[in-house]
Amino acid sequence: MAELASEPRPGDPRPGPEGLNYPNGILIVEDEADLVRALRINLRARQYEVLTAGTGREALALAASHPPDAIILDLGLPDIDGTEVIVELRRWYHAPIIVLSGRTSPGDKIGALDVGADDYVTKPFAMAELLARLRAVLRRDEREANHNQPRQAVVGQWLVDLTAHQVSRATASAGAAAGASGEGPAEGETLRLTPTEWRILEILLRRPGQLVGSAQILTGVWGPGFQQRTNYLRFHMARLRRKLEDNPARPRHLRTEPGMGYRYQP
């Protein structure tokens, strides 16, 4: 059993659009109720948002619908082995995974790390050490994400400059690369987006090809407590498609993943 850590330290906040910060979301995958409670108390005390799953299948479903910023995962789950969960997650999920397990053999550790875990902590453990490891993988993930973030993206016949906050007609070569053809915006034309549309678009365009859960977008744009307001998101996504997509009824770039979220497809 883990010891309760003292003197809470805030979790590393995620940088949001326009300099806003919002809490990191952590998914705990563990079937031991007392340990889940201890982890939840400590993480929430440090301003993390916490989701929990008691089985591997529940974890996969939650990660798809509410993609967390990191996952703390037990290997000994009641339905499927934790290493299988890591393999399935790594087909699309790129954020950190910390294994928290009672298995202490080198083979178990190597196996989990080889299939995609970022760190491995054995039980019993010190809560302070686990939290320090969590902060470390989140900082590393943020640095990598900032280093690899695109500064421009093409949506239909429009070039979105994420640094200048400007949308203008794409060049002929960029438009061709995006599959644009026929009549479109005039040379030099710019497009106005509302602040809310910008925030949604930035979240998607900074994660090209990745699924972004509806709850994650709602929290990033409107803040905690708005995870269920999916009607807000549908309304603004429809407006973005009308402005940016060549065929809003059959969007090529701003894609819906039914029941899960949205994806920017370059």
PDB file of all heavy atoms in Angstrom, residues 204-239:
ATOM      1  N   LEU A 204      -7.075  21.327 -32.123  1.00  0.00           N
ATOM      2  CA  LEU A 204      -7.070  20.257 -33.119  1.00  0.00           C
ATOM      3  C   LEU A 204      -5.827  20.309 -34.001  1.00  0.00           C
ATOM      4  O   LEU A 204      -5.178  19.288 -34.243  1.00  0.00           O
ATOM      5  CB  LEU A 204      -8.330  20.344 -33.983  1.00  0.00           C
ATOM      6  CG  LEU A 204      -9.652  20.041 -33.276  1.00  0.00           C
ATOM      7  CD1 LEU A 204     -10.826  20.332 -34.215  1.00  0.00           C
ATOM      8  CD2 LEU A 204      -9.704  18.604 -32.809  1.00  0.00           C
ATOM      9  N   LEU A 205      -5.481  21.512 -34.483  1.00  0.00           N
ATOM     10  CA  LEU A 205      -4.383  21.623 -35.441  1.00  0.00           C
ATOM     11  C   LEU A 205      -3.024  21.354 -34.802  1.00  0.00           C
ATOM     12  O   LEU A 205      -2.088  20.948 -35.491  1.00  0.00           O
ATOM     13  CB  LEU A 205      -4.392  23.006 -36.094  1.00  0.00           C
ATOM     14  CG  LEU A 205      -5.161  23.109 -37.428  1.00  0.00           C
ATOM     15  CD1 LEU A 205      -6.584  22.617 -37.307  1.00  0.00           C
ATOM     16  CD2 LEU A 205      -5.127  24.529 -37.967  1.00  0.00           C
ATOM     17  N   ARG A 206      -2.906  21.551 -33.494  1.00  0.00           N
ATOM     18  CA  ARG A 206      -1.635  21.274 -32.824  1.00  0.00           C
ATOM     19  C   ARG A 206      -1.467  19.786 -32.531  1.00  0.00           C
ATOM     20  O   ARG A 206      -0.441  19.368 -32.022  1.00  0.00           O
ATOM     21  CB  ARG A 206      -1.525  22.101 -31.543  1.00  0.00           C
ATOM     22  CG  ARG A 206      -1.369  23.594 -31.816  1.00  0.00           C
ATOM     23  CD  ARG A 206      -1.024  24.364 -30.565  1.00  0.00           C
ATOM     24  NE  ARG A 206      -1.026  25.803 -30.795  1.00  0.00           N
ATOM     25  CZ  ARG A 206      -0.050  26.491 -31.377  1.00  0.00           C
ATOM     26  NH1 ARG A 206       1.014  25.853 -31.812  1.00  0.00           N
ATOM     27  NH2 ARG A 206      -0.131  27.799 -31.540  1.00  0.00           N
ATOM     28  N   ARG A 207      -2.460  18.979 -32.880  1.00  0.00           N
ATOM     29  CA  ARG A 207      -2.378  17.522 -32.711  1.00  0.00           C
ATOM     30  C   ARG A 207      -2.758  16.846 -34.024  1.00  0.00           C
ATOM     31  O   ARG A 207      -3.736  16.115 -34.094  1.00  0.00           O
ATOM     32  CB  ARG A 207      -3.307  17.056 -31.588  1.00  0.00           C
ATOM     33  CG  ARG A 207      -2.966  17.630 -30.223  1.00  0.00           C
ATOM     34  CD  ARG A 207      -4.126  17.422 -29.261  1.00  0.00           C
ATOM     35  NE  ARG A 207      -3.814  17.855 -27.902  1.00  0.00           N
ATOM     36  CZ  ARG A 207      -3.875  19.108 -27.478  1.00  0.00           C
ATOM     37  NH1 ARG A 207      -4.232  20.076 -28.332  1.00  0.00           N
ATOM     38  NH2 ARG A 207      -3.586  19.424 -26.236  1.00  0.00           N
ATOM     39  N   PRO A 208      -2.025  17.107 -35.097  1.00  0.00           N
ATOM     40  CA  PRO A 208      -2.426  16.577 -36.411  1.00  0.00           C
ATOM     41  C   PRO A 208      -2.536  15.060 -36.415  1.00  0.00           C
ATOM     42  O   PRO A 208      -1.648  14.353 -35.954  1.00  0.00           O
ATOM     43  CB  PRO A 208      -1.302  17.055 -37.344  1.00  0.00           C
ATOM     44  CG  PRO A 208      -0.158  17.383 -36.447  1.00  0.00           C
ATOM     45  CD  PRO A 208      -0.758  17.843 -35.158  1.00  0.00           C
ATOM     46  N   GLY A 209      -3.659  14.578 -36.920  1.00  0.00           N
ATOM     47  CA  GLY A 209      -3.896  13.148 -37.028  1.00  0.00           C
ATOM     48  C   GLY A 209      -4.333  12.478 -35.755  1.00  0.00           C
ATOM     49  O   GLY A 209      -4.691  11.301 -35.764  1.00  0.00           O
ATOM     50  N   GLN A 210      -4.327  13.187 -34.620  1.00  0.00           N
ATOM     51  CA  GLN A 210      -4.658  12.578 -33.332  1.00  0.00           C
ATOM     52  C   GLN A 210      -6.122  12.817 -32.965  1.00  0.00           C
ATOM     53  O   GLN A 210      -6.678  13.883 -33.233  1.00  0.00           O
ATOM     54  CB  GLN A 210      -3.782  13.144 -32.219  1.00  0.00           C
ATOM     55  CG  GLN A 210      -2.303  12.852 -32.372  1.00  0.00           C
ATOM     56  CD  GLN A 210      -1.502  13.379 -31.192  1.00  0.00           C
ATOM     57  OE1 GLN A 210      -1.989  13.456 -30.074  1.00  0.00           O
ATOM     58  NE2 GLN A 210      -0.258  13.756 -31.450  1.00  0.00           N
ATOM     59  N   LEU A 211      -6.721  11.811 -32.342  1.00  0.00           N
ATOM     60  CA  LEU A 211      -8.061  11.957 -31.795  1.00  0.00           C
ATOM     61  C   LEU A 211      -7.996  12.842 -30.558  1.00  0.00           C
ATOM     62  O   LEU A 211      -7.176  12.627 -29.676  1.00  0.00           O
ATOM     63  CB  LEU A 211      -8.635  10.591 -31.428  1.00  0.00           C
ATOM     64  CG  LEU A 211      -9.936  10.592 -30.612  1.00  0.00           C
ATOM     65  CD1 LEU A 211     -11.089  11.111 -31.451  1.00  0.00           C
ATOM     66  CD2 LEU A 211     -10.234   9.195 -30.098  1.00  0.00           C
ATOM     67  N   VAL A 212      -8.865  13.848 -30.510  1.00  0.00           N
ATOM     68  CA  VAL A 212      -8.983  14.710 -29.333  1.00  0.00           C
ATOM     69  C   VAL A 212     -10.405  14.563 -28.805  1.00  0.00           C
ATOM     70  O   VAL A 212     -11.365  14.832 -29.524  1.00  0.00           O
ATOM     71  CB  VAL A 212      -8.689  16.188 -29.668  1.00  0.00           C
ATOM     72  CG1 VAL A 212      -8.685  17.019 -28.385  1.00  0.00           C
ATOM     73  CG2 VAL A 212      -7.346  16.323 -30.383  1.00  0.00           C
ATOM     74  N   GLY A 213     -10.541  14.109 -27.583  1.00  0.00           N
ATOM     75  CA  GLY A 213     -11.856  13.854 -27.009  1.00  0.00           C
ATOM     76  C   GLY A 213     -12.681  15.120 -26.856  1.00  0.00           C
ATOM     77  O   GLY A 213     -12.152  16.202 -26.600  1.00  0.00           O
ATOM     78  N   SER A 214     -13.993  14.982 -26.986  1.00  0.00           N
ATOM     79  CA  SER A 214     -14.892  16.131 -26.836  1.00  0.00           C
ATOM     80  C   SER A 214     -14.713  16.785 -25.477  1.00  0.00           C
ATOM     81  O   SER A 214     -14.665  18.018 -25.367  1.00  0.00           O
ATOM     82  CB  SER A 214     -16.346  15.685 -27.021  1.00  0.00           C
ATOM     83  OG  SER A 214     -16.564  15.188 -28.321  1.00  0.00           O
ATOM     84  N   ALA A 215     -14.622  15.978 -24.416  1.00  0.00           N
ATOM     85  CA  ALA A 215     -14.472  16.535 -23.067  1.00  0.00           C
ATOM     86  C   ALA A 215     -13.181  17.327 -22.941  1.00  0.00           C
ATOM     87  O   ALA A 215     -13.130  18.353 -22.253  1.00  0.00           O
ATOM     88  CB  ALA A 215     -14.523  15.419 -22.032  1.00  0.00           C
ATOM     89  N   GLN A 216     -12.116  16.861 -23.601  1.00  0.00           N
ATOM     90  CA  GLN A 216     -10.835  17.560 -23.540  1.00  0.00           C
ATOM     91  C   GLN A 216     -10.939  18.926 -24.213  1.00  0.00           C
ATOM     92  O   GLN A 216     -10.418  19.922 -23.714  1.00  0.00           O
ATOM     93  CB  GLN A 216      -9.753  16.721 -24.209  1.00  0.00           C
ATOM     94  CG  GLN A 216      -8.359  17.302 -24.108  1.00  0.00           C
ATOM     95  CD  GLN A 216      -7.302  16.379 -24.703  1.00  0.00           C
ATOM     96  OE1 GLN A 216      -7.590  15.261 -25.095  1.00  0.00           O
ATOM     97  NE2 GLN A 216      -6.077  16.858 -24.769  1.00  0.00           N
ATOM     98  N   ILE A 217     -11.623  18.986 -25.356  1.00  0.00           N
ATOM     99  CA  ILE A 217     -11.789  20.273 -26.053  1.00  0.00           C
ATOM    100  C   ILE A 217     -12.666  21.206 -25.226  1.00  0.00           C
ATOM    101  O   ILE A 217     -12.360  22.392 -25.054  1.00  0.00           O
ATOM    102  CB  ILE A 217     -12.393  20.060 -27.447  1.00  0.00           C
ATOM    103  CG1 ILE A 217     -11.504  19.147 -28.295  1.00  0.00           C
ATOM    104  CG2 ILE A 217     -12.572  21.410 -28.157  1.00  0.00           C
ATOM    105  CD1 ILE A 217     -12.105  18.771 -29.638  1.00  0.00           C
ATOM    106  N   LEU A 218     -13.775  20.687 -24.710  1.00  0.00           N
ATOM    107  CA  LEU A 218     -14.691  21.516 -23.926  1.00  0.00           C
ATOM    108  C   LEU A 218     -13.992  22.094 -22.696  1.00  0.00           C
ATOM    109  O   LEU A 218     -14.171  23.270 -22.367  1.00  0.00           O
ATOM    110  CB  LEU A 218     -15.909  20.691 -23.509  1.00  0.00           C
ATOM    111  CG  LEU A 218     -16.901  20.386 -24.634  1.00  0.00           C
ATOM    112  CD1 LEU A 218     -17.820  19.230 -24.260  1.00  0.00           C
ATOM    113  CD2 LEU A 218     -17.736  21.626 -24.964  1.00  0.00           C
ATOM    114  N   THR A 219     -13.187  21.280 -22.019  1.00  0.00           N
ATOM    115  CA  THR A 219     -12.459  21.773 -20.856  1.00  0.00           C
ATOM    116  C   THR A 219     -11.417  22.804 -21.264  1.00  0.00           C
ATOM    117  O   THR A 219     -11.241  23.837 -20.594  1.00  0.00           O
ATOM    118  CB  THR A 219     -11.767  20.610 -20.120  1.00  0.00           C
ATOM    119  OG1 THR A 219     -12.751  19.662 -19.705  1.00  0.00           O
ATOM    120  CG2 THR A 219     -11.013  21.109 -18.893  1.00  0.00           C
ATOM    121  N   GLY A 220     -10.718  22.553 -22.369  1.00  0.00           N
ATOM    122  CA  GLY A 220      -9.686  23.475 -22.816  1.00  0.00           C
ATOM    123  C   GLY A 220     -10.227  24.817 -23.266  1.00  0.00           C
ATOM    124  O   GLY A 220      -9.566  25.841 -23.109  1.00  0.00           O
ATOM    125  N   VAL A 221     -11.444  24.839 -23.821  1.00  0.00           N
ATOM    126  CA  VAL A 221     -12.016  26.074 -24.354  1.00  0.00           C
ATOM    127  C   VAL A 221     -12.886  26.792 -23.319  1.00  0.00           C
ATOM    128  O   VAL A 221     -12.759  27.999 -23.111  1.00  0.00           O
ATOM    129  CB  VAL A 221     -12.838  25.783 -25.628  1.00  0.00           C
ATOM    130  CG1 VAL A 221     -13.524  27.060 -26.134  1.00  0.00           C
ATOM    131  CG2 VAL A 221     -11.933  25.217 -26.714  1.00  0.00           C
ATOM    132  N   TRP A 222     -13.773  26.040 -22.655  1.00  0.00           N
ATOM    133  CA  TRP A 222     -14.728  26.657 -21.735  1.00  0.00           C
ATOM    134  C   TRP A 222     -14.369  26.467 -20.264  1.00  0.00           C
ATOM    135  O   TRP A 222     -14.922  27.133 -19.410  1.00  0.00           O
ATOM    136  CB  TRP A 222     -16.132  26.124 -22.007  1.00  0.00           C
ATOM    137  CG  TRP A 222     -16.747  26.696 -23.238  1.00  0.00           C
ATOM    138  CD1 TRP A 222     -17.395  27.897 -23.354  1.00  0.00           C
ATOM    139  CD2 TRP A 222     -16.778  26.117 -24.547  1.00  0.00           C
ATOM    140  NE1 TRP A 222     -17.823  28.087 -24.650  1.00  0.00           N
ATOM    141  CE2 TRP A 222     -17.457  27.015 -25.407  1.00  0.00           C
ATOM    142  CE3 TRP A 222     -16.293  24.918 -25.086  1.00  0.00           C
ATOM    143  CZ2 TRP A 222     -17.668  26.749 -26.756  1.00  0.00           C
ATOM    144  CZ3 TRP A 222     -16.500  24.654 -26.424  1.00  0.00           C
ATOM    145  CH2 TRP A 222     -17.173  25.558 -27.250  1.00  0.00           C
ATOM    146  N   GLY A 223     -13.482  25.512 -19.961  1.00  0.00           N
ATOM    147  CA  GLY A 223     -13.061  25.299 -18.587  1.00  0.00           C
ATOM    148  C   GLY A 223     -13.728  24.101 -17.941  1.00  0.00           C
ATOM    149  O   GLY A 223     -14.633  23.482 -18.508  1.00  0.00           O
ATOM    150  N   PRO A 224     -13.267  23.724 -16.718  1.00  0.00           N
ATOM    151  CA  PRO A 224     -13.848  22.584 -16.013  1.00  0.00           C
ATOM    152  C   PRO A 224     -15.347  22.778 -15.788  1.00  0.00           C
ATOM    153  O   PRO A 224     -15.829  23.884 -15.584  1.00  0.00           O
ATOM    154  CB  PRO A 224     -13.086  22.578 -14.679  1.00  0.00           C
ATOM    155  CG  PRO A 224     -11.824  23.324 -14.956  1.00  0.00           C
ATOM    156  CD  PRO A 224     -12.167  24.361 -15.980  1.00  0.00           C
ATOM    157  N   GLY A 225     -16.081  21.682 -15.812  1.00  0.00           N
ATOM    158  CA  GLY A 225     -17.522  21.737 -15.598  1.00  0.00           C
ATOM    159  C   GLY A 225     -18.334  21.783 -16.872  1.00  0.00           C
ATOM    160  O   GLY A 225     -19.573  21.723 -16.828  1.00  0.00           O
ATOM    161  N   PHE A 226     -17.667  21.886 -18.030  1.00  0.00           N
ATOM    162  CA  PHE A 226     -18.382  21.973 -19.304  1.00  0.00           C
ATOM    163  C   PHE A 226     -18.224  20.702 -20.147  1.00  0.00           C
ATOM    164  O   PHE A 226     -18.556  20.695 -21.330  1.00  0.00           O
ATOM    165  CB  PHE A 226     -17.888  23.175 -20.116  1.00  0.00           C
ATOM    166  CG  PHE A 226     -18.371  24.499 -19.601  1.00  0.00           C
ATOM    167  CD1 PHE A 226     -17.730  25.126 -18.543  1.00  0.00           C
ATOM    168  CD2 PHE A 226     -19.469  25.126 -20.161  1.00  0.00           C
ATOM    169  CE1 PHE A 226     -18.166  26.339 -18.051  1.00  0.00           C
ATOM    170  CE2 PHE A 226     -19.919  26.347 -19.693  1.00  0.00           C
ATOM    171  CZ  PHE A 226     -19.274  26.959 -18.625  1.00  0.00           C
ATOM    172  N   GLN A 227     -17.739  19.603 -19.518  1.00  0.00           N
ATOM    173  CA  GLN A 227     -17.440  18.394 -20.291  1.00  0.00           C
ATOM    174  C   GLN A 227     -18.655  17.798 -20.986  1.00  0.00           C
ATOM    175  O   GLN A 227     -18.509  17.101 -21.983  1.00  0.00           O
ATOM    176  CB  GLN A 227     -16.804  17.332 -19.382  1.00  0.00           C
ATOM    177  CG  GLN A 227     -15.422  17.704 -18.874  1.00  0.00           C
ATOM    178  CD  GLN A 227     -15.477  18.393 -17.531  1.00  0.00           C
ATOM    179  OE1 GLN A 227     -16.468  19.053 -17.213  1.00  0.00           O
ATOM    180  NE2 GLN A 227     -14.432  18.229 -16.731  1.00  0.00           N
ATOM    181  N   GLN A 228     -19.846  18.050 -20.453  1.00  0.00           N
ATOM    182  CA  GLN A 228     -21.049  17.459 -21.030  1.00  0.00           C
ATOM    183  C   GLN A 228     -21.743  18.367 -22.045  1.00  0.00           C
ATOM    184  O   GLN A 228     -22.727  17.958 -22.668  1.00  0.00           O
ATOM    185  CB  GLN A 228     -22.046  17.105 -19.906  1.00  0.00           C
ATOM    186  CG  GLN A 228     -21.470  16.214 -18.813  1.00  0.00           C
ATOM    187  CD  GLN A 228     -20.952  14.907 -19.355  1.00  0.00           C
ATOM    188  OE1 GLN A 228     -21.568  14.299 -20.245  1.00  0.00           O
ATOM    189  NE2 GLN A 228     -19.815  14.446 -18.829  1.00  0.00           N
ATOM    190  N   ARG A 229     -21.249  19.583 -22.227  1.00  0.00           N
ATOM    191  CA  ARG A 229     -21.912  20.539 -23.127  1.00  0.00           C
ATOM    192  C   ARG A 229     -21.501  20.294 -24.569  1.00  0.00           C
ATOM    193  O   ARG A 229     -20.962  21.170 -25.254  1.00  0.00           O
ATOM    194  CB  ARG A 229     -21.588  21.969 -22.707  1.00  0.00           C
ATOM    195  CG  ARG A 229     -21.986  22.320 -21.286  1.00  0.00           C
ATOM    196  CD  ARG A 229     -23.484  22.265 -21.082  1.00  0.00           C
ATOM    197  NE  ARG A 229     -23.852  22.700 -19.746  1.00  0.00           N
ATOM    198  CZ  ARG A 229     -24.458  23.848 -19.473  1.00  0.00           C
ATOM    199  NH1 ARG A 229     -24.773  24.666 -20.457  1.00  0.00           N
ATOM    200  NH2 ARG A 229     -24.770  24.160 -18.233  1.00  0.00           N
ATOM    201  N   THR A 230     -21.776  19.092 -25.052  1.00  0.00           N
ATOM    202  CA  THR A 230     -21.353  18.741 -26.410  1.00  0.00           C
ATOM    203  C   THR A 230     -22.080  19.552 -27.477  1.00  0.00           C
ATOM    204  O   THR A 230     -21.573  19.690 -28.589  1.00  0.00           O
ATOM    205  CB  THR A 230     -21.575  17.245 -26.664  1.00  0.00           C
ATOM    206  OG1 THR A 230     -22.935  16.901 -26.357  1.00  0.00           O
ATOM    207  CG2 THR A 230     -20.645  16.400 -25.788  1.00  0.00           C
ATOM    208  N   ASN A 231     -23.243  20.103 -27.138  1.00  0.00           N
ATOM    209  CA  ASN A 231     -23.967  20.935 -28.105  1.00  0.00           C
ATOM    210  C   ASN A 231     -23.176  22.202 -28.430  1.00  0.00           C
ATOM    211  O   ASN A 231     -23.213  22.696 -29.560  1.00  0.00           O
ATOM    212  CB  ASN A 231     -25.352  21.293 -27.577  1.00  0.00           C
ATOM    213  CG  ASN A 231     -25.312  22.015 -26.244  1.00  0.00           C
ATOM    214  OD1 ASN A 231     -24.608  21.591 -25.328  1.00  0.00           O
ATOM    215  ND2 ASN A 231     -26.064  23.093 -26.109  1.00  0.00           N
ATOM    216  N   TYR A 232     -22.433  22.744 -27.447  1.00  0.00           N
ATOM    217  CA  TYR A 232     -21.576  23.895 -27.714  1.00  0.00           C
ATOM    218  C   TYR A 232     -20.581  23.551 -28.811  1.00  0.00           C
ATOM    219  O   TYR A 232     -20.367  24.318 -29.762  1.00  0.00           O
ATOM    220  CB  TYR A 232     -20.781  24.287 -26.464  1.00  0.00           C
ATOM    221  CG  TYR A 232     -21.542  24.943 -25.355  1.00  0.00           C
ATOM    222  CD1 TYR A 232     -22.929  24.900 -25.289  1.00  0.00           C
ATOM    223  CD2 TYR A 232     -20.866  25.607 -24.338  1.00  0.00           C
ATOM    224  CE1 TYR A 232     -23.614  25.496 -24.249  1.00  0.00           C
ATOM    225  CE2 TYR A 232     -21.540  26.212 -23.283  1.00  0.00           C
ATOM    226  CZ  TYR A 232     -22.922  26.147 -23.248  1.00  0.00           C
ATOM    227  OH  TYR A 232     -23.582  26.741 -22.214  1.00  0.00           O
ATOM    228  N   LEU A 233     -19.961  22.381 -28.667  1.00  0.00           N
ATOM    229  CA  LEU A 233     -18.906  21.980 -29.587  1.00  0.00           C
ATOM    230  C   LEU A 233     -19.456  21.702 -30.976  1.00  0.00           C
ATOM    231  O   LEU A 233     -18.857  22.087 -31.986  1.00  0.00           O
ATOM    232  CB  LEU A 233     -18.194  20.746 -29.020  1.00  0.00           C
ATOM    233  CG  LEU A 233     -16.817  20.403 -29.560  1.00  0.00           C
ATOM    234  CD1 LEU A 233     -15.912  21.612 -29.621  1.00  0.00           C
ATOM    235  CD2 LEU A 233     -16.193  19.308 -28.706  1.00  0.00           C
ATOM    236  N   ARG A 234     -20.586  21.020 -31.043  1.00  0.00           N
ATOM    237  CA  ARG A 234     -21.193  20.741 -32.353  1.00  0.00           C
ATOM    238  C   ARG A 234     -21.510  22.031 -33.106  1.00  0.00           C
ATOM    239  O   ARG A 234     -21.276  22.138 -34.317  1.00  0.00           O
ATOM    240  CB  ARG A 234     -22.461  19.896 -32.184  1.00  0.00           C
ATOM    241  CG  ARG A 234     -22.204  18.448 -31.811  1.00  0.00           C
ATOM    242  CD  ARG A 234     -23.446  17.606 -32.035  1.00  0.00           C
ATOM    243  NE  ARG A 234     -24.556  18.058 -31.208  1.00  0.00           N
ATOM    244  CZ  ARG A 234     -24.816  17.603 -29.996  1.00  0.00           C
ATOM    245  NH1 ARG A 234     -24.026  16.681 -29.449  1.00  0.00           N
ATOM    246  NH2 ARG A 234     -25.856  18.048 -29.309  1.00  0.00           N
ATOM    247  N   PHE A 235     -22.030  23.029 -32.390  1.00  0.00           N
ATOM    248  CA  PHE A 235     -22.385  24.306 -33.011  1.00  0.00           C
ATOM    249  C   PHE A 235     -21.158  24.985 -33.610  1.00  0.00           C
ATOM    250  O   PHE A 235     -21.166  25.402 -34.780  1.00  0.00           O
ATOM    251  CB  PHE A 235     -23.042  25.214 -31.966  1.00  0.00           C
ATOM    252  CG  PHE A 235     -23.287  26.622 -32.445  1.00  0.00           C
ATOM    253  CD1 PHE A 235     -24.363  26.907 -33.277  1.00  0.00           C
ATOM    254  CD2 PHE A 235     -22.437  27.653 -32.075  1.00  0.00           C
ATOM    255  CE1 PHE A 235     -24.586  28.211 -33.720  1.00  0.00           C
ATOM    256  CE2 PHE A 235     -22.653  28.952 -32.516  1.00  0.00           C
ATOM    257  CZ  PHE A 235     -23.728  29.231 -33.340  1.00  0.00           C
ATOM    258  N   HIS A 236     -20.094  25.074 -32.825  1.00  0.00           N
ATOM    259  CA  HIS A 236     -18.906  25.789 -33.305  1.00  0.00           C
ATOM    260  C   HIS A 236     -18.138  24.977 -34.348  1.00  0.00           C
ATOM    261  O   HIS A 236     -17.535  25.566 -35.266  1.00  0.00           O
ATOM    262  CB  HIS A 236     -18.008  26.150 -32.128  1.00  0.00           C
ATOM    263  CG  HIS A 236     -18.571  27.249 -31.272  1.00  0.00           C
ATOM    264  ND1 HIS A 236     -18.547  28.568 -31.652  1.00  0.00           N
ATOM    265  CD2 HIS A 236     -19.185  27.212 -30.056  1.00  0.00           C
ATOM    266  CE1 HIS A 236     -19.114  29.312 -30.719  1.00  0.00           C
ATOM    267  NE2 HIS A 236     -19.511  28.517 -29.741  1.00  0.00           N
ATOM    268  N   MET A 237     -18.152  23.652 -34.256  1.00  0.00           N
ATOM    269  CA  MET A 237     -17.512  22.843 -35.292  1.00  0.00           C
ATOM    270  C   MET A 237     -18.234  23.010 -36.622  1.00  0.00           C
ATOM    271  O   MET A 237     -17.600  23.063 -37.684  1.00  0.00           O
ATOM    272  CB  MET A 237     -17.479  21.377 -34.880  1.00  0.00           C
ATOM    273  CG  MET A 237     -16.439  21.038 -33.826  1.00  0.00           C
ATOM    274  SD  MET A 237     -14.729  21.349 -34.348  1.00  0.00           S
ATOM    275  CE  MET A 237     -14.592  20.220 -35.733  1.00  0.00           C
ATOM    276  N   ALA A 238     -19.552  23.097 -36.584  1.00  0.00           N
ATOM    277  CA  ALA A 238     -20.310  23.314 -37.820  1.00  0.00           C
ATOM    278  C   ALA A 238     -19.938  24.656 -38.448  1.00  0.00           C
ATOM    279  O   ALA A 238     -19.784  24.769 -39.675  1.00  0.00           O
ATOM    280  CB  ALA A 238     -21.814  23.247 -37.529  1.00  0.00           C
ATOM    281  N   ARG A 239     -19.776  25.692 -37.622  1.00  0.00           N
ATOM    282  CA  ARG A 239     -19.368  27.004 -38.140  1.00  0.00           C
ATOM    283  C   ARG A 239     -17.969  26.950 -38.745  1.00  0.00           C
ATOM    284  O   ARG A 239     -17.716  27.529 -39.815  1.00  0.00           O
ATOM    285  CB  ARG A 239     -19.412  28.044 -37.017  1.00  0.00           C
ATOM    286  CG  ARG A 239     -20.815  28.467 -36.626  1.00  0.00           C
ATOM    287  CD  ARG A 239     -20.788  29.362 -35.402  1.00  0.00           C
ATOM    288  NE  ARG A 239     -19.953  30.539 -35.616  1.00  0.00           N
ATOM    289  CZ  ARG A 239     -20.412  31.727 -36.027  1.00  0.00           C
ATOM    290  NH1 ARG A 239     -21.706  31.866 -36.298  1.00  0.00           N
ATOM    291  NH2 ARG A 239     -19.606  32.755 -36.168  1.00  0.00           N
TER     292      ARG A 239
END
